[in-house]
Structure formats: C-alpha cells, structure tokens
Amino acid sequence: MNMNLTKLLLYDNLIICQISENIHYSCSGRNLSSIPNHFSPMVEILDLSFNFLSFLNKTTVPLFSNLQVLDLTRCHIQHIDDDAFHNVRNLTTLILTGNPISYTGPNVLNALTKLQRLVLVDIGLLSLELPIHSLMNLQELKVGTNNIKSMAMPPYMISFKDFRLLDLHANNISLIKADHTSVLREIGRNMTLILSRNPILCIESGAFQHIYLRELNIQGAFVSFNATRNGLKSLTGLNVDRLVIGDFRDKNKSFIFDVNFLSSLSSIGFQEIYYYVKERPAKPLHLFEHMVNASKITVKHAYIPYLEYVPYRQIKELFLVDDHLFLSIEFSHQHTIEKLVISNSKEPVIISKFTDLPKLHYVDLSKNQITLKECCNTIFIEIPQLRFLNFSLNAEIRLALTSFSGLNNLEVLDFHYTKVAGIGNFAVLANLKLLRYLDISYSSITFTCYMSFYGLDSLRVLKVAGNSFKLGTSQYLFANLTQLELLDISNCGIESMMYSTFKDLHQLKHLFLSGNKLMTLDFSSLKAIRNVYVDNNQIASIPLNVLQNRPENLSVFDLSNNPIDCSCSQTDFISWIVNHQQILKQPQNIFCHSLSRTPVTRVIDFDLENCAYRKKAAVVVIVVSLFVVLSLLLVSVLTYKFQFYLRYCCILLRGYRASRQQECPYDAFVIYSSKDEAWVMDELVENLEKGVPPIQLCLHVRDFEVGKSITSNIIDEGIMGSHKVIVVVSRHFIDSVWCRFEFEVAQSWLVMEGTANIIIIMLEDVEEEKTKKVFGLHKHLKKNTYLKWRGNPLSDMRFWIRLRRAVIAKK
Amino acid sequence: MEAYYRSCDPLQDISFTASPCLNIRDENINLKLSLMLRQSIDELYASIDFFLNQQPNPVAHIDESLCLPDFPGFSFCGRKKGEVVTIERSVRISKVATGRIDIHIVMFNQNGFQILCTNATVILK
C-alpha cells in the first residue's frame, strides 16, 4: 500500500480506519460494534473484517451507493435480516468468511443483483441450496470449509451466464452421483471446480462424462488410494484445460502396488496436468505415457528412476520438480517441446544427452547436484533454438573452448553457485554473440585470462560475484562489453580497482562492488551509472570533489558498513552523507569507524556542530597565541629601544632604597661635560674647594669608584652621596648623552626627595631649542633661578658668592 | 519434559497441541499448530531459529518457502483471510535427549505481512 495515499479516519481520537485513494477504507480489527456511518459516500471498498457486528439489517448497514466490495470476515455476525443489504445494492463482492451465522432471512441476497463474488467460507453451510437465485451476475461462489455433503448445484444456476468458479474445498463431500453434475454439464466450458480436501469415497461412473471444464482440482480429494484409483476412472469422458491431482506435501505417503492406476488418465481429455505425487509404488510408475496429449505437464515429488521416451503429441512445457532420483536423463526427439525444467532433485542427476529438440528454447536444470566432465555441445545436440540455459546450484561443470559451439543463440546462461572450470582461463564464451545475461556468481572461478569475456558483444548483465581475479586481470577483462548495463563483482576480494576498467562500458547503469577491500571510489569513468553499491568495503572517506562530480543520474549509492572516518577533518564528507540520504541506500547502516569497543555511531547521527565549535575554538586559540607572540615581540623591541630608560628606572628604585641608609660624603655633585673640564678644574674646584669653608665636590674624573659601573657611580657616589647637584650647562653638556642621563636622574631624585637640590650654572648661552633636547631642562630653566657665568671678574665674584651660598643653603 | 510457547505477534494468537502427551519418548508425537489468517497466504515464507541451552547464537537456522505461487505443495497454501490454518507434524523425541531448546519462528506472506511469530521453549529432562 502506498503510504503517501493513506489517511486515517478518526473517531473520538481513536483510529478506526485507514483510507487509501479516498475509496478504499480498511477498518480491520478495530473492535467496532457497528459500521461507522461517517465515511465518504464515494467509498468503493470497505474492509470491516475482525470486528464485532453480530447483527445486520437495514439500519446497521448505512447507505453506500458506490460500495462494491464489502469484507465482513470474522465479524461475529449471527443474524442477517432480509433487508440487511438494501443500502449497498451495488455490491459486486461480499465476503462473510468465518461468521457463526445462525439466522439469515430467506431473501437476504435478493437486493444484490450485481453481485459477482460471494465468499461464504467456514460459516457452517450444510448444502449448496443457498438463497442466491436472483444473483444472475454471479461469477464466483466460494463455499470452502463448510459441511456441504453434495456438490449438486441448484438448477437455477444454469441461468448464471458468467458463472466460472465453484470452490468447494474442505467440505464433506464423499459421494458424487451422476445427477449431481447435471447443472455443471450445462454451465461447462469456462468453469473451475475445486474439490480439494474432500473425503471422496466414490464418484459414480459417467458423472463427468461429456463435461467441459476450465479447471478441475481434486488434489487431496480422496480418502484412500482405492478411492483415488476409482475416482480417476470415473472421470472418464471429462474434458478439462487444467487438471490438478495428487496429494499434499503435508499428507502421509501412500504405499501402493498397482502401478497402472494412472492408466485412466488416458480417458480424460486435459491440456495441462499438475500432479503432486505422494504415492510410492513398488515398481516405477508409468507416469508420462498417460499424459501424451498434454501440452503442459508439472510433476512434483515423484520417484522417477529414468526418463523413458514418451511419444508426446503436443507437449510444450515439462516441469519435473522436487523429484527423486534420475539415474540418467536422455530426452530426445520431441519436436514440440519449448520449455524443460528439471529442478531440485533429491538425488544427484546424471545427464546423458538432449537431442533433436528443434523448438526447445528454455532449459532449467538447477539444483540437481549435477557433475559434468564436459558440457555443453556434447549434451545439447540439435537444439538450435536454445536461448535460456540454467545450470545453477549444481556440483561442478567443466567447460572447454568448443563447449558452446552450435549453441550460438544462447541469450541467458546461469551457472551461479555451480563450480565452473574453464571460463576464467580461456575465451570459452567467444561465440555467444547474442548472450544478454551471464551469471557465474560464486562459481569458484579464478580469472587468469583477460579474454574470458571476449566476443560477448550483446551482454547486458554480468554477475561474477564471489570469484577471484589474478592480479591485473580485472583491468582488461570487461573492455569489450560495450552493451553492459549491470556488472556485479561483489565479494571478489578486490583490494584496488582501476576505474579505467569501466571506461568502455558506456551503458553501465548498475555496479555492484560490495564486500571487497576497496579503499577509494572514483566515478570518473562511470558517466551513465545510476546505482553503485560499495557497501562492506574499506572506504574511510571520499574526497568532496569526487562526490560533487558524481554522475548526474546516480540515484542509489550504497556506502553502508564501511569504516567511515568521523574526525572533524572529514566534516565535508560527513555533511554530504547527512544531506544526501535520499540517494544513499542504507544511511542508517553507515557507521563511524572506531578502534575501541565503544558503541558504534551512525554517521548520520554525527555531531557536526561540535566540530564547528571546535573549529571556532581552534581559531580563537590561534588568534590569541598570535596576539601573545606579537605582544612579546613588541615588548622586546620596546625593551631594546628603551633599555637605557629601563635600566635607569631600576637604578632609581635601587637608589631610593639605599638613600635612607648612607650619609653624604660630598657637598655637591657636579654634572658637566668632559669638554668643559678645564673650566670645572680651574674655576669651580679652585673657588669652592679651596675657599672657606671648603666645599667638597664630587667629580666623576676624580671621585668615581674604579671598577663600579658608571650608572652605579652616578647614583651612589654622585647623586646620593652629595647634598646638592651642580649642573654645568653648555653646548657640550647638551650634546653629551651621559650628561643628559645624569641630569634626568638628578631631576627624578628631586621629585622623590622634594627638595630644591639642583643648582644650574649656564656656562655659555645656549639656544632655547637646544635646551629642549634635554628632558626637563627647558622647563627647569623657566621655573627656577640659575647662575650664569659671564667670565668678567666683577660678576665672577658675585657668581661664586651666590654659588657658595646655594651649596651651603641646606645646612 | 516441559514445553512453553507464546505468540510474539500483537494481533495473531496461535494454538498448539501435542498428542499424545509430550512425556512420551521414542514414539511419534503429533504436533498441531493452528492459527487464524489475517491475510491470505498465496505465498508463505518461514524462518526458524533453534537455540540450545540458552546460548545467544542459534545452533540451526532454517529458511523455507512453504508456499509459492503456481502449484503449491502444502494443503494450507492459498488459504484466504479469516480461514484457519492447521500445520501438523509428527516428531519423535529420543529418550536420551536432555537440555533446553528455544525455537523462534516467523512467517511472512507475499505482501511481507507477518503471518506468524512465536517463541517456543522445550525443556527435556
């Protein structure tokens, strides 16, 4: 049932019916105690089987004017009133199987004049005297599994012009008298009569004389072998298209002594005979000589030690299935036979030959445990029309180069599961230009010859699953098969496939590569392909460009049971799988490969968002690390550039800590350029150190401790070891790096100590622009007073007095 | 000897009888399995697993086409919806056999509809 067309009919939120195509309502097994009346008036088929209706009349069966099929199987119906079907007058099929009907109105079916099929199986009928006289259109009456004792049909049924089936299976008919068949004789021709599983003891002779039937089924219809033998005799004069005789598989064998009991078949005219043999005679039955006029013979489960020559007149089809033991088959000189099936033999079959069968085109010899040392031109002789040959599921068949000579018309050849020697080694099939279908699956073939399929120009279907290829053979094996549409090379242990193997197969639509050891897949030479099966291989991933350039008609792609790599590097492949489930054959069976014994994950359940999150996290980590590296680089560059100042800061901090512990041995530290040393030594030192009171100056050339770093000396001896700092500003001072450093340190010291300890001497005029070069000097000069050296005796005097006073001022 | 069976189909119940009593060994016992059909069985396919002494893997597995179209062999083939099917088989249980056998049977018709599903257990003491 097409689920797309299925709707549900609900009542009080309970599903009561499934509706398909708006006309078919299926309300089977819903515990309904009445027929729901809210159906579409269009309903044509209504299945109410397995409910609890118990009582039918005009009020309980609503009006359905289009209803054609009403199925009331096992509805516990006990009572059916005369007017029960007045609202469903257009019924063509009424099924009342398995209802315990105790009352039916005498005219109950009168309204159903259009009824064609009436099914009254297992309702406890005692006879065929049914109220059906008005059912002029009745075609089929099925009254099996009742307690009917006579097959005599009511005389009015003669007027049922289209009547064609009376099914009386499993009733209680033990006697068929000559007058029981009088109506049958009148209706005749197109009718099928089923009497199987009745306990027939006796058929009056002549009962079936001059009766014409389409089919008579008396399978399992006799209580004993004697009844069977006599019954068959009593069918003399019957003419029937299909005759079904014998017994059932689930009945006991009957051991008999009369091997000629089938001779009466000769006096029955039949076209087709179906015989399920349960008789086990003491000597072989002469089965077929009583069937010489048949066109189709099917014999199952017979014991046939050898197939004798029978002069069939018009045999077209012969089926010998599930039979026991053919010592040797020789089947020859039958000019009408077209189809021969000898299959599923219980014992190994030995074939000698099939000769002179000019119309035979279909031979099925499957499942017979056949072993052939040579085949097939030595076995099939003068069978020019042979097109279909099935040797599958046998033991072993050896083929040679001439095996198929004279069998040039073969179109279908099936050897699957039969061990075949020869095909893989020589171009055995080269003359089969018309062969369309070749199945040699699981035939224990190792292909060593790349000419194996040479000459098969018409081949459409090739199945070679379950065989093996010698290294490199597969590459050229299929090269000339330009018409090939289906190729099955599953389970061949192939580890790698040259996809150029398929480059000449322009018609190839179905490719089966399941169960090999392939690790890659390539569609490049498979332009027309529709179905590709690579399940159960070793494919971990397929590049996205291969998938994106897949053949445009690809509609089935089976990738299941491969060890798919579900790492975040494969998100493209995984999301392709998730998004293309409509073309994937079993998407729920595509699993992630896992080494551990953790429960397997389906690829379609793989958490792609987790990968996206991880990707984001990875980006963040990269950005942060990049930032850190850049910052470090920047810090290094800055450190290198400003190393001087950093060192200076260190020193400052160190100096500050040390200052509290030591006393000052000097009165003033003189900051000057070495180029002004002459002035310092001659003038400054002379006037201050040698004056009264003497002022102890700290001069770097004289007082700095040898071996100590300059910077340490500047701090320890100079700035911290002196009460005051005398700065001798000149052009040389401004140009000197050390002077500038000393001045800046002194200035910082000033800020920390908070006292005005810097005395500035301008030795010469310096341009304002230049003073700005020294950090803080320009500002200091603007804000504070300074001494200026003029070089004439009068002002010098004043200069030295002021200087001396300034140096001593702290005291 | 003890035998238990239970239908594993929510809709389909089955009945099972053995005569004479199951305790008789080395004689034919007639087993009868009956069920009412929910759908016709023009074709019927059975799959049977046998488990020995509660081992997880079946010791035997049988797949069989009981009914095929075109002249079927079994008498129940071709029965229609609502008909009762009885499958009879006689078995002989050896005196020396002991152990527990679990049997799982499923059957499907031509539409793939599950006709029968049953789990049976036979304990031979």
Side-chain angles (χ1 to χ4, degrees):
Chain A
M1 186 187 295
N2 188 342
M3 290 307 286
N4 292 335
L5 297 169
T6 303
K7 292 186 284 187
L8 300 173
L9 182 69
L10 299 167
Y11 185 72
D12 281 349
N13 286 329
L14 289 171
I15 296 170
I16 53 171
C17 298
Q18 283 189 331
I19 310 162
S20 50
E21 292 166 10
N22 218 22
I23 53 163
H24 185 168
Y25 282 60
S26 175
C27 320
S28 181
R30 300 286 177 194
N31 288 336
L32 299 175
S33 55
S34 64
I35 303 177
N37 55 8
H38 35 276
F39 293 142
S40 153
M42 302 301 289
V43 57
E44 288 178 13
I45 301 169
L46 179 54
D47 178 358
L48 287 162
S49 54
F50 305 102
N51 285 299
F52 298 90
L53 301 177
S54 76
F55 186 85
L56 292 186
N57 66 13
K58 198 176 177 180
T59 53
T60 57
V61 183
L63 182 64
F64 298 122
S65 50
N66 285 317
L67 195 67
Q68 293 184 7
V69 179
L70 179 60
D71 185 348
L72 296 167
T73 300
R74 299 263 169 205
C75 279
H76 298 83
I77 299 166
Q78 293 162 23
H79 187 111
I80 307 178
D81 266 352
D82 262 348
D83 58 358
F85 302 114
H86 279 211
N87 284 331
V88 287
R89 284 168 182 271
N90 287 320
L91 275 189
T92 56
T93 301
L94 176 63
I95 304 169
L96 286 164
T97 299
N99 284 292
I101 300 169
S102 57
Y103 172 80
T104 46
N107 301 312
V108 66
L109 296 170
N110 283 359
L112 302 176
T113 52
K114 294 182 178 170
L115 203 66
Q116 294 170 1
R117 290 177 68 225
L118 180 59
V119 183
L120 302 171
V121 173
D122 195 10
I123 59 167
L125 292 179
L126 296 170
S127 82
L128 278 174
E129 293 297 331
L130 301 165
I132 55 171
H133 51 274
S134 56
L135 309 184
M136 301 299 283
N137 292 302
L138 197 68
Q139 295 175 6
E140 299 181 8
L141 179 61
K142 297 186 175 181
V143 288
T145 322
N146 281 298
N147 203 20
I148 297 169
K149 289 191 167 64
S150 165
M151 62 158 283
M153 294 156 74
Y156 53 75
M157 288 184 76
I158 294 170
S159 58
F160 292 3
K161 294 291 176 223
D162 298 320
F163 196 71
R164 61 181 187 211
L165 172 70
L166 178 61
D167 184 349
L168 281 160
H169 76 258
N171 272 287
N172 200 11
I173 299 166
S174 57
L175 176 65
I176 299 174
K177 288 186 173 178
D179 60 341
H180 289 174
T181 57
S182 54
V183 176
L184 198 63
R185 185 169 282 112
E186 296 295 324
I187 296 176
R189 294 291 174 193
N190 282 327
M191 226 192 92
T192 295
L193 177 63
I194 298 174
L195 290 168
S196 64
R197 294 192 284 134
N198 273 286
I200 298 176
L201 265 169
C202 178
I203 301 175
E204 213 170 81
S205 83
F208 285 88
Q209 189 80 37
H210 304 308
I211 286 182
Y212 292 84
L213 293 174
R214 169 154 290 179
E215 177 178 336
L216 176 65
N217 185 333
I218 47 169
Q219 192 176 7
F222 296 97
V223 284
S224 64
F225 170 69
N226 282 336
T228 309
R229 183 178 54 187
N230 296 334
L232 286 177
K233 234 177 241 174
S234 307
L235 293 177
T236 303
L238 171 71
N239 280 288
V240 63
D241 290 345
R242 287 164 55 102
L243 180 62
V244 183
I245 60 171
D247 216 319
F248 289 104
R249 187 171 154 185
D250 45 336
K251 291 285 154 29
N252 294 329
K253 295 184 185 83
S254 63
F255 294 94
I256 58 169
F257 299 96
D258 180 1
V259 295
N260 290 317
F261 83 101
L262 288 169
S263 60
S264 45
L265 281 177
S266 301
S267 54
I268 305 171
F270 53 86
Q271 294 289 310
E272 300 177 11
I273 185 162
Y274 299 81
Y275 182 15
Y276 198 97
V277 186
K278 285 299 272 192
E279 292 83 10
R280 283 288 172 268
K283 284 194 281 180
L285 276 180
H286 300 293
L287 263 175
F288 302 103
E289 66 186 50
H290 308 299
M291 303 176 182
V292 287
N293 291 322
S295 63
K296 179 176 177 181
I297 298 171
T298 301
V299 174
K300 283 192 178 181
H301 203 250
Y303 174 78
I304 310 167
Y306 56 89
L307 204 58
E308 65 211 335
Y309 174 76
V310 178
Y312 296 109
R313 296 213 174 88
Q314 50 172 347
I315 184 85
K316 284 186 174 170
E317 299 179 26
L318 179 59
F319 293 79
L320 307 176
V321 185
D322 298 336
D323 297 322
H324 282 262
L325 194 61
F326 292 97
L327 279 174
S328 166
I329 294 183
E330 182 169 340
F331 191 80
S332 301
H333 310 298
Q334 302 295 345
H335 291 185
T336 53
I337 188 112
E338 293 172 6
K339 194 168 180 178
L340 177 64
V341 177
I342 300 171
S343 174
N344 206 17
S345 171
K346 300 281 181 283
E347 311 286 339
V349 170
I350 298 164
I351 292 178
S352 66
K353 64 175 76 158
F354 297 84
T355 321
D356 185 24
L357 306 165
K359 288 191 173 172
L360 186 67
H361 64 82
Y362 184 107
V363 174
D364 179 352
L365 296 169
S366 59
K367 290 198 235 172
N368 289 323
Q369 306 169 52
I370 295 171
T371 302
L372 285 176
K373 291 271 182 279
E374 51 181 13
C375 182
C376 300
N377 58 331
T378 51
I379 288 167
F380 301 104
I381 301 158
E382 294 175 61
I383 311 181
Q385 301 290 327
L386 190 62
R387 298 203 295 274
F388 179 103
L389 181 57
N390 184 353
F391 261 118
S392 63
L393 298 145
N394 279 300
E396 184 178 356
I397 288 171
R398 291 181 176 274
L399 299 175
L401 274 172
T402 54
S403 278
F404 293 99
S405 61
L407 298 170
N408 298 353
N409 287 319
L410 270 179
E411 292 177 19
V412 176
L413 193 52
D414 191 346
F415 284 111
H416 78 264
Y417 280 104
T418 298
K419 189 176 178 186
V420 178
I423 284 186
N425 314 103
F426 317 102
V428 185
L429 308 165
N431 67 316
L432 302 179
K433 303 284 179 206
L434 301 176
L435 197 70
R436 288 182 290 114
Y437 180 104
L438 175 62
D439 188 347
I440 43 172
S441 315
Y442 303 94
S443 295
S444 309
I445 298 170
T446 302
F447 288 93
T448 55
C449 167
Y450 62 83
M451 302 278 279
S452 294
F453 300 125
Y454 179 76
L456 301 178
D457 299 337
S458 307
L459 200 66
R460 301 278 201 282
V461 176
L462 176 58
K463 299 182 178 181
V464 289
N467 293 298
S468 59
F469 300 95
K470 203 181 160 197
L471 202 66
T473 326
S474 66
Q475 199 177 338
Y476 307 102
L477 200 56
F478 312 113
N480 63 314
L481 306 175
T482 51
Q483 299 298 313
L484 204 65
E485 292 173 11
L486 185 150
L487 176 60
D488 184 352
I489 36 180
S490 312
N491 299 313
C492 287
I494 301 169
E495 288 177 2
S496 66
M497 194 87 220
M498 299 282 283
Y499 285 87
S500 58
T501 305
F502 311 120
K503 71 178 188 318
D504 296 327
L505 312 186
H506 303 298
Q507 307 292 324
L508 194 66
K509 292 180 182 70
H510 314 274
L511 178 60
F512 295 80
L513 290 166
S514 318
N516 284 301
K517 297 171 185 168
L518 298 173
M519 298 175 83
T520 56
L521 178 67
D522 183 4
F523 293 117
S524 56
S525 54
L526 299 166
K527 294 296 173 213
I529 206 84
R530 288 181 189 163
N531 305 337
V532 176
Y533 295 82
V534 284
D535 50 299
N536 295 288
N537 274 287
Q538 299 293 327
I539 296 171
S541 76
I542 301 171
L544 196 61
N545 63 326
V546 170
L547 294 170
Q548 281 167 345
N549 296 325
R550 68 184 183 277
E552 55 185 69
N553 289 328
L554 187 70
S555 55
V556 176
F557 182 34
D558 193 344
L559 196 56
S560 57
N561 298 312
N562 275 292
I564 302 294
D565 175 10
C566 290
S567 59
C568 284
S569 61
Q570 297 295 337
T571 48
D572 286 344
F573 178 45
I574 292 165
S575 66
W576 189 89
I577 290 175
V578 171
N579 295 329
H580 290 80
Q581 289 181 46
Q582 76 281 6
I583 65 163
L584 288 165
K585 174 77 174 165
Q586 309 173 60
Q588 74 282 2
N589 286 343
I590 306 176
F591 297 108
C592 292
H593 179 58
S594 94
L595 290 172
S596 59
R597 292 191 169 199
T598 50
V600 283
T601 343
R602 291 173 180 170
V603 172
I604 51 170
D605 297 335
F606 184 76
D607 190 359
L608 280 167
E609 281 181 16
N610 190 24
C611 268
Y613 173 76
R614 279 198 213 171
K615 218 180 215 174
K616 264 186 208 163
V619 168
V620 167
V621 166
I622 289 169
V623 167
V624 167
S625 6
L626 211 65
F627 180 76
V628 167
V629 168
L630 282 174
S631 313
L632 283 174
L633 209 66
L634 194 70
V635 166
S636 316
V637 168
L638 287 174
T639 312
Y640 180 74
K641 196 170 176 190
F642 296 102
Q643 54 175 322
F644 191 74
Y645 290 97
L646 285 169
R647 208 162 359 142
Y648 160 43
C649 286
C650 289
I651 287 161
L652 271 182
L653 286 170
R654 191 156 52 82
Y656 186 70
R657 281 199 305 274
S659 67
R660 320 218 166 251
Q661 296 150 14
Q662 78 182 78
E663 271 304 306
C664 296
Y666 303 105
D667 291 316
F669 170 56
V670 186
I671 299 173
Y672 64 99
S673 164
S674 312
K675 289 176 179 164
D676 298 324
E677 196 170 301
W679 181 84
V680 171
M681 284 315 205
D682 297 347
E683 300 286 345
L684 194 64
V685 173
E686 279 300 311
N687 282 298
L688 292 183
E689 286 197 346
K690 294 189 178 154
V692 178
I695 291 169
Q696 190 60 42
L697 293 177
C698 174
L699 303 176
H700 63 261
V701 287
R702 189 185 66 194
D703 300 315
F704 276 10
E705 219 172 287
V706 179
K708 226 173 167 180
S709 77
I710 299 170
T711 45
S712 302
N713 266 321
I714 292 168
I715 304 289
D716 297 345
E717 303 300 322
I719 294 164
M720 285 172 45
S722 313
H723 292 295
K724 299 270 171 164
V725 177
I726 297 168
V727 182
V728 183
V729 178
S730 68
R731 284 192 196 90
H732 300 126
F733 172 87
I734 287 164
D735 293 339
S736 164
V737 177
W738 278 115
C739 288
R740 289 208 308 260
F741 175 63
E742 284 168 345
F743 177 69
E744 279 163 20
V745 176
Q747 251 191 321
S748 313
W749 199 245
L750 175 85
V751 172
M752 284 195 282
E753 292 289 283
T755 46
N757 285 342
I758 295 180
I759 302 155
I760 297 207
I761 299 167
M762 294 293 284
L763 202 59
E764 56 190 354
D765 285 329
V766 180
E767 296 89 4
E768 211 176 306
E769 285 304 306
K770 281 201 169 175
T771 58
K772 283 178 185 168
K773 271 172 74 181
V774 183
F775 180 76
L777 179 61
H778 182 71
K779 216 173 186 179
H780 196 90
L781 293 175
K782 290 262 173 194
K783 283 185 178 170
N784 300 291
T785 49
Y786 54 88
L787 290 168
K788 195 162 172 131
W789 176 255
R790 299 196 190 274
N792 58 60
L794 189 65
S795 52
D796 284 358
M797 185 75 94
R798 205 182 306 139
F799 174 86
W800 294 120
I801 292 164
R802 287 179 70 189
L803 182 55
R804 179 171 282 277
R805 201 184 293 151
V807 174
I808 298 166
K810 59 121 192 188
K811 291 173 182 174
Chain B
M1 184 163 72
E2 293 170 24
Y4 307 90
Y5 73 97
R6 168 168 251 170
S7 173
C8 40
D9 187 313
L11 283 175
Q12 185 70 62
D13 204 358
I14 58 164
S15 76
F16 175 82
T17 54
S19 67
C21 181
L22 276 170
N23 276 330
I24 296 167
R25 301 284 188 96
D26 276 343
E27 270 180 47
N28 277 350
I29 300 171
N30 206 26
L31 301 177
K32 202 185 270 187
L33 189 146
S34 300
L35 70 147
M36 189 191 291
L37 294 175
R38 294 263 159 183
Q39 279 197 8
S40 68
I41 47 169
D42 298 321
E43 295 169 36
L44 186 65
Y45 306 94
S47 174
I48 309 171
D49 283 311
F50 294 91
F51 300 84
L52 200 62
N53 296 328
Q54 295 182 294
Q55 287 166 5
N57 296 318
V59 289
H61 175 84
I62 300 170
D63 283 318
E64 199 172 344
S65 313
L66 298 176
C67 302
L68 289 170
D70 194 27
F71 192 38
F74 284 107
S75 59
F76 48 79
C77 296
R79 302 274 182 100
K80 301 288 182 266
K81 182 166 86 173
E83 292 194 66
V84 176
V85 164
T86 304
I87 300 172
E88 285 181 75
R89 262 290 152 92
S90 63
V91 295
R92 182 186 289 244
I93 297 165
S94 157
K95 262 180 190 156
V96 290
T98 54
R100 173 183 163 139
I101 305 165
D102 289 282
I103 307 162
H104 177 64
I105 309 173
V106 282
M107 293 188 191
F108 295 92
N109 76 348
Q110 64 279 2
N111 303 324
F113 179 84
Q114 185 171 284
I115 293 296
L116 178 147
C117 175
T118 182
N119 290 319
T121 302
V122 179
I123 300 169
L124 302 165
K125 290 174 183 168

